[in-house]
Amino acid sequence: MNVPEELRYTSDHEWAKSEDGRLRVGITDFAQDALGDVVFVELPAPGSTVEKGGPLGEVESTKSVSQIYAPVSGTIVEVNASLTDAPEQVNAEPYGAGWLVVIDPSDSSELDALLDATAYRATTE
Amino acid sequence: MSLRTSPLSSAHEALGARLVDFGGWEMPLSYPSGTVAEHLACRRSAAVFDVSHLGTVRVEGPGSFEVLQGELSNDLRKIAPGRAQYTHLLNDEGGVLDDIIVWWVSDDRFDVMPNASNTDRVVSRIGGTDVTTERAVIAVQGPGAREIVARVSEEAARVPHFGVSGFDFGGVPCLVAGTGYAGEDGVECAVPVDAAVSLWQAILDAGATPAGLGARDTLRLEAGLPLHGHELAPDITPLEAGLGWVVGWNKEAFTGRQALDIIRQRGGPARRLAGLLTDQRRPPREGDPVLAEGRTVGSVTSGNYSPVLERGIALAFVPSSTPNGETVEIDLRGQPTAAEVVKPPFHRMHPSSGAARP
């Protein structure tokens, strides 16, 4: 299972990557593997606000529906529109082309509460 | 209760299968290629499935025909030794206790194949011997299935559609039927457990893609085939499920007959099983309400993403008065989604137009 060292994580299997104060978010390799083939992704509209730990969207596979939770509070500034027609990118490249959204955090201190790679790996063992 | 395992479980583990509990059996859900790829392999060439969890109840000896003819809904006089038949075991109310394939192996021998979790229920009604643990059942399905099976056994590949015959696999006598659950041509082989892994491996080596229960379910849904516990159940009659042809109306008597006669005399059932075709990818799920003009008129019994059509499809009970072609809504977890009422199978429909081929 791939858990990149440079990312931060939630115990709900989202990853977050700091990019100039903004946060790119996706689901982890562990999560995509557990879900199986992703066939549909629902994401919030750009400009909408999300609460830390609140619903961010849904990822659906052939076998189940999985709720995605926001790792931090903030405003959605970008969504991965290519997932509409190619949600399988979440399986193929969960940390790359399968990213979900970019959040502009409203409280940057919330980032400190996220897990590092070692702590996240421990939650999956 | 510990899970029962297939004679092929070591082969599944070697392939990296994800295993799940299905009807008390630990069976492969998918292999590393994933459900969608396995599904498409079956539609485009051939997939191989371990379906050893199906039961095999052997009914043999004088009087076997009469027992099955009296207990099962379909009419065995429509077929003959060397043929297979889809049939139901009904309760007194005409509800479906199980749906079954009967392999009429020879004059006085029938291999009755119930669903895994209904095997005991079937044995209690028809008798016979549960020989499930003595064999594995390997299904090879898809347009290329027979070509692949012919590389292993030309004898097996020649079995007619819904035929049953014996074949020899390296000196081991096996059975094969031209049956399946994918909406494709194909065969199902019953092989003694000691030879099961060799036959499985030979079929893989011949070019079939291993596919799990995940693909088996999306394939049968696209093909519009019912799954017991979903489209069929003790409180659902074959008439509601659109399977009146499974009822042997010309037989004298069988359990459930009277109830079905009464339903027919009253103008047929109030609800019917229909296909629902959406125009977007989000999978409908079992239990999602179906609405017409804002009122709930039914609910989804099975739903998923169709890998062939690349959109959500479902089976659902709707009022019998709802015609094909009508637009209804499925409440997809709070999102009303338009769906066209269609006659399955879905997989022969055009992905572009959404309508069935003329």
Side-chain angles (χ1 to χ4, degrees):
Chain A
M1 185 185 63
N2 183 12
V3 183
E5 288 300 328
E6 68 275 20
L7 303 181
R8 305 297 292 271
Y9 300 89
T10 71
S11 55
D12 296 316
H13 311 290
E14 290 89 16
W15 58 262
K17 180 187 182 191
S18 283
E19 294 180 353
D20 302 328
R22 290 175 166 182
L23 218 54
R24 190 175 297 270
V25 174
I27 66 168
T28 65
D29 187 34
F30 177 87
Q32 71 77 21
D33 184 62
L35 268 170
D37 284 0
V38 173
V39 295
F40 180 79
V41 177
E42 182 176 69
L43 298 174
S48 57
T49 57
V50 292
E51 293 293 318
K52 176 181 164 66
L56 180 62
E58 281 178 357
V59 176
E60 300 206 19
S61 71
T62 51
K63 64 175 181 179
S64 63
V65 186
S66 186
Q67 191 87 46
I68 309 303
Y69 300 98
V72 297
S73 304
T75 304
I76 303 295
V77 291
E78 214 182 321
V79 302
N80 187 352
S82 74
L83 298 181
T84 306
D85 291 324
E88 64 274 12
Q89 293 175 105
V90 173
N91 294 116
E93 294 185 51
Y95 302 113
W99 65 277
L100 302 179
V101 298
V102 177
I103 300 175
D104 186 9
S106 53
D107 176 0
S108 56
S109 73
E110 285 179 355
L111 272 71
D112 300 335
L114 297 175
L115 306 174
D116 64 16
T118 305
Y120 173 65
R121 208 176 279 117
T123 69
T124 64
E125 280 160 5
Chain B
M1 194 181 84
S2 66
L3 292 178
R4 299 173 74 175
T5 55
S6 158
L8 298 170
S9 60
S10 62
H12 300 318
E13 277 168 39
L15 287 166
R18 181 185 301 276
L19 302 170
V20 288
D21 171 6
F22 185 80
W25 289 71
E26 185 183 71
M27 297 299 290
L29 176 70
S30 59
Y31 298 87
S33 56
T35 293
V36 171
E38 294 163 21
H39 180 114
L40 293 173
C42 182
R43 288 275 180 258
R44 290 168 184 166
S45 50
V48 58
F49 303 82
D50 178 7
V51 292
S52 301
H53 60 288
L54 297 176
T56 298
V57 179
R58 185 154 299 156
V59 180
E60 56 190 339
S64 299
F65 175 92
E66 288 74 18
V67 168
L68 298 182
Q69 188 73 338
E71 288 293 348
L72 302 176
S73 67
N74 212 334
D75 191 342
L76 282 168
R77 292 173 305 188
K78 293 179 196 167
I79 63 165
R83 303 290 300 170
Q85 185 178 62
Y86 178 68
T87 189
H88 287 171
L89 181 74
L90 303 178
N91 58 28
D92 286 333
E93 290 73 45
V96 183
L97 294 174
D98 197 22
D99 67 329
I100 293 165
I101 296 274
V102 175
W103 295 13
W104 193 343
V105 178
S106 58
D107 285 351
D108 271 350
R109 179 181 155 193
F110 299 83
D111 280 359
V112 176
M113 304 191 55
N115 285 291
S117 53
N118 292 336
T119 303
D120 292 344
R121 179 187 273 180
V122 171
V123 171
S124 74
R125 279 276 296 277
I126 67 171
T129 310
D130 183 349
V131 296
T132 305
T133 56
E134 295 175 13
R135 90 304 177 251
V137 181
I138 299 171
V140 192
Q141 307 280 302
R146 285 176 191 272
E147 195 183 323
I148 283 170
V149 171
R151 289 176 202 147
V152 178
S153 164
E154 289 188 10
E155 209 180 356
R158 278 198 301 269
V159 70
H161 187 55
F162 272 82
V164 178
S165 60
F167 72 99
D168 175 283
F169 176 66
V172 179
C174 304
L175 282 177
V176 60
T179 51
Y181 193 47
E184 298 290 342
D185 187 28
V187 304
E188 295 181 299
C189 305
V191 51
V193 288
D194 289 346
V197 172
S198 325
L199 179 60
W200 171 263
Q201 192 57 47
I203 292 167
L204 285 184
D205 293 345
T209 300
L213 294 180
R216 185 169 152 88
D217 192 51
T218 52
L219 286 160
R220 71 93 194 167
L221 176 63
E222 258 183 8
L225 298 171
L227 174 62
H228 197 267
H230 297 260
E231 289 73 36
L232 298 172
D235 61 350
I236 299 171
T237 69
L239 303 182
E240 292 171 308
L243 297 170
W245 61 271
V246 178
V247 181
W249 299 107
N250 296 324
K251 287 203 295 188
E252 287 183 8
F254 55 89
T255 305
R257 170 66 188 262
Q258 284 181 317
L260 297 181
D261 277 339
I262 291 169
I263 294 167
R264 281 220 296 186
Q265 285 156 15
R266 290 178 181 166
R271 59 178 183 169
R272 71 180 184 97
L273 190 65
L276 301 180
L277 180 62
T278 76
D279 59 2
Q280 52 113 330
R281 299 177 60 113
R282 185 193 285 256
R285 307 278 182 186
E286 182 179 7
D288 287 347
V290 177
L291 298 93
E293 292 164 3
R295 284 190 315 118
T296 300
V297 295
S299 71
V300 168
T301 50
S302 295
N304 213 320
Y305 167 77
S306 160
V308 167
L309 298 173
E310 298 184 336
R311 59 177 79 181
I313 58 171
L315 294 171
F317 283 102
V318 298
S320 296
S321 56
T322 309
N324 292 333
E326 187 126 310
T327 300
V328 295
E329 276 186 341
I330 308 175
D331 182 353
L332 291 188
R333 301 169 291 290
Q335 291 216 345
T337 302
E340 182 186 351
V341 178
V342 297
K343 182 179 166 56
F346 296 94
H347 74 291
R348 294 191 198 127
M349 296 173 183
H350 274 301
S352 53
S353 71
R357 279 181 196 173

